């Protein structure tokens, strides 16, 4: 079963920015549908789901021995970086702080223009890291700061993040190899965010060719569901191990219990735990882009849509509308 009239109509009437949904159970697609002229070959900017993919790549790099572990100091990967005079906190920041969003930054609100008009977004993000307050353990959701993780992956593996991702994640899952999106002008950044037309499999990058870590990866809903079902099967896909079971455990451990601003969810390593009482976790991005994983049911859902701010109920939609309708059918 790949179509469901009830779901299709509900999405048209209530979730108009959704373009693609794929549900995989065990290793079979049990639901797949498209809206707004999209097809199975089309990708969309999955926004902050990109962060969760970067967490996966971090785990793969650790599995391969390229990174010793999450308690490695950030600066150990950037020996040529010049620390600003008087800055001390940055020396104590680790990969764990980046992955749990507890890294300290020297700003009140994220300086998008400053970072995204620079020649090196990783260095610009490093310039923001630290501060006089020290490491407080406070949760501080930072899209720009996560760019540092891609710099770490490149330094540790000796490969570009996009090559590393294609070789160790996308290609083994049968996902179309991703290419770099070359233009990074102000106008192009706005277009990449707001354009509602289908995209190819591409990943936004800075002027130096380092891909974005906080947003900008374009995948299809089926790609998202494939990543999810691999995680539901403890890191294996079609009998091939992609990432270790231990990394998945670490990545989905609830380190931070968040308040109403974040839907009372918990946070792992760049992955969300919507309800600690349920055996499910998710990658969530603006526009309601989602990878939803339920390991006990060996089930994964990929939802891909165009940009629409303040979509907070997509997991609820999956659990209360989508999956019950599929079960009923």
């Amino acid at each position: 079963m790949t179509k469901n009239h009830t779901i299709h109509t509900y999405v048209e009437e209530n979730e108009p920015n959704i373009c693609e949904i794929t549900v995989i159970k065990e290793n079979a697609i049990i639901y797949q549908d498209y809206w707004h002229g999209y097809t199975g070959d089309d990708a969309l900017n999955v926004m902050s789901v990109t962060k969760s993919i970067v967490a996966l790549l971090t785990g793969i790099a650790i599995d391969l021995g390229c990174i010793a572990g999450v308690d490695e100091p950030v600066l150990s990967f950037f020996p040529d970086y010049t620390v600003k005079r008087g800055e001390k906190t940055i020396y104590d920041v680790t990969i764990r702080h980046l992955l749990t969003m507890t890294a300290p930054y020297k700003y009140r609100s994220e300086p998008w223009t400053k970072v995204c008009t620079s020649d090196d977004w990783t260095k610009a993000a490093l310039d923001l890291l630290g501060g006089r307050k020290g490491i407080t353990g406070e949760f501080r959701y930072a899209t720009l700061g996560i760019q540092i993780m891609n710099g770490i992956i490149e330094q540790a593996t000796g490969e570009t993040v996009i090559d590393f991702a294609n070789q160790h994640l996308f290609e083994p899952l049968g996902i179309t190899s991703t290419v770099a999106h070359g233009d990074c002008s102000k106008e192009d950044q706005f277009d990449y965010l707001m354009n509602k037309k289908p995209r190819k499999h591409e990943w936004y990058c800075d002027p130096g060719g380092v891909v974005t870590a906080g947003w900008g990866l374009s995948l299809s809903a089926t790609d998202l569901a494939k990543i999810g079902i691999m995680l539901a099967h403890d890191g294996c896909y079609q009998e091939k191990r992609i990432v270790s079971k231990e990394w998945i455990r670490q990545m989905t451990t609830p380190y931070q219990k968040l308040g109403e601003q974040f839907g009372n969810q918990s946070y792992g390593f760049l992955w969300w735990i919507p309800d600690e009482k349920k055996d499910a976790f998710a990658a969530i991005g603006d526009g309601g882009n989602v990878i939803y994983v339920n390991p006990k049911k060996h089930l994964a859902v990929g939802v891909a849509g165009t940009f629409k701010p303040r979509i907070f109920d997509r997991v609820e939609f999956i659990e209360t509308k989508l999956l019950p309708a599929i079960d009923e059918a």
Side-chain angles (χ1 to χ4, degrees):
M1 187 270 293
T2 57
K3 297 283 184 182
N4 183 298
H5 179 72
T6 301
I7 298 172
H8 190 91
T9 301
Y10 180 88
V11 168
E12 281 187 328
E13 295 176 352
N14 298 280
E15 305 284 353
N17 78 307
I18 289 179
C19 299
E20 305 176 356
I21 298 177
T22 298
V23 182
I24 300 177
K25 189 167 186 179
E26 299 298 346
N27 288 312
I29 293 175
I30 62 170
Y31 176 77
Q32 193 170 45
D33 205 352
Y34 305 94
W35 294 260
H36 310 300
Y38 276 74
T39 71
D41 296 327
D42 296 325
L44 296 96
N45 173 14
V46 295
M47 305 300 293
S48 287
V49 172
T50 307
K51 296 180 175 72
S52 302
I53 301 305
V54 168
L56 269 175
L57 297 177
T58 303
I60 293 170
I62 290 173
D63 290 342
L64 293 173
C66 301
I67 298 174
V70 296
D71 294 314
E72 288 292 294
V74 166
L75 280 190
S76 66
F77 297 92
F78 304 100
D80 297 330
Y81 176 73
T82 302
V83 177
K84 293 184 180 298
R85 185 176 180 180
E87 171 58 52
K88 297 179 180 179
T89 301
I90 194 171
Y91 292 101
D92 299 323
V93 180
T94 66
I95 291 173
R96 182 185 298 273
H97 294 125
L98 294 175
L99 296 178
T100 56
M101 294 290 185
T102 55
Y105 297 98
K106 295 176 284 193
Y107 57 73
R108 290 186 179 181
S109 60
E110 295 194 79
W112 283 90
T113 300
K114 182 177 181 179
V115 173
C116 295
T117 57
S118 68
D119 292 332
D120 184 338
W121 294 4
T122 303
K123 180 182 180 299
L126 281 168
D127 288 344
L128 303 171
L129 192 62
R132 295 180 180 178
K133 292 183 179 179
I135 298 173
T136 64
E138 176 188 0
F139 183 84
R140 195 171 185 189
Y141 191 83
T143 293
L144 295 176
I146 297 305
Q147 187 66 24
I148 297 168
M149 270 314 314
N150 276 3
I152 289 173
I153 292 170
E154 294 204 349
Q155 292 293 322
T157 65
E159 300 180 55
T160 65
V161 170
I162 205 164
D163 286 345
F164 187 77
N166 282 332
Q167 179 182 352
H168 296 286
L169 181 61
F170 299 145
E171 291 170 6
L173 293 177
I175 294 173
T176 301
S177 292
T178 303
V179 298
H181 181 87
D183 189 355
C184 55
S185 66
K186 179 181 177 181
E187 294 76 17
D188 185 69
Q189 290 179 46
F190 182 80
D191 180 77
Y192 199 91
L193 176 68
M194 302 302 295
N195 197 316
K196 298 184 185 303
K197 295 180 181 179
R199 308 207 71 88
K200 60 185 179 182
H201 284 72
E202 57 187 335
W203 200 336
Y204 212 88
C205 59
D206 74 3
V210 180
V211 292
T212 49
W215 60 284
L217 174 61
S218 289
L219 296 171
S220 71
T222 301
D223 300 333
L224 299 179
K226 282 183 177 181
I227 293 167
I229 204 65
M230 176 270 292
L231 294 172
H233 289 146
D234 295 330
C236 292
Y237 183 77
Q238 297 181 350
E239 300 183 355
K240 178 179 177 63
R241 175 150 305 279
I242 307 299
V243 65
S244 66
K245 182 178 180 179
E246 170 59 20
W247 180 254
I248 298 172
R249 184 195 68 77
Q250 290 186 52
M251 194 174 68
T252 59
T253 295
Y255 300 106
Q256 300 280 331
K257 177 66 176 177
L258 306 177
E260 187 175 347
Q261 180 185 358
F262 295 101
N264 297 309
Q265 300 181 94
S266 297
Y267 203 67
F269 286 166
L270 305 182
W271 281 77
W272 298 89
I273 300 90
D275 186 342
E276 291 184 31
K277 296 177 183 178
K278 297 179 180 179
D279 186 44
F281 53 90
I284 302 174
D286 269 346
N289 288 280
V290 170
I291 303 173
Y292 175 88
V293 185
N294 189 314
K296 281 191 176 179
K297 294 184 178 180
H298 296 143
L299 180 143
V301 180
V303 181
T306 53
F307 177 73
K308 183 180 179 181
R310 310 187 78 77
I311 300 274
F312 298 124
D313 59 353
R314 197 59 38 96
V315 169
E316 181 183 356
F317 159 73
I318 290 169
E319 293 182 337
T320 64
K321 300 293 184 182
L322 177 64
L323 296 180
I326 292 173
D327 289 340
E328 185 178 338

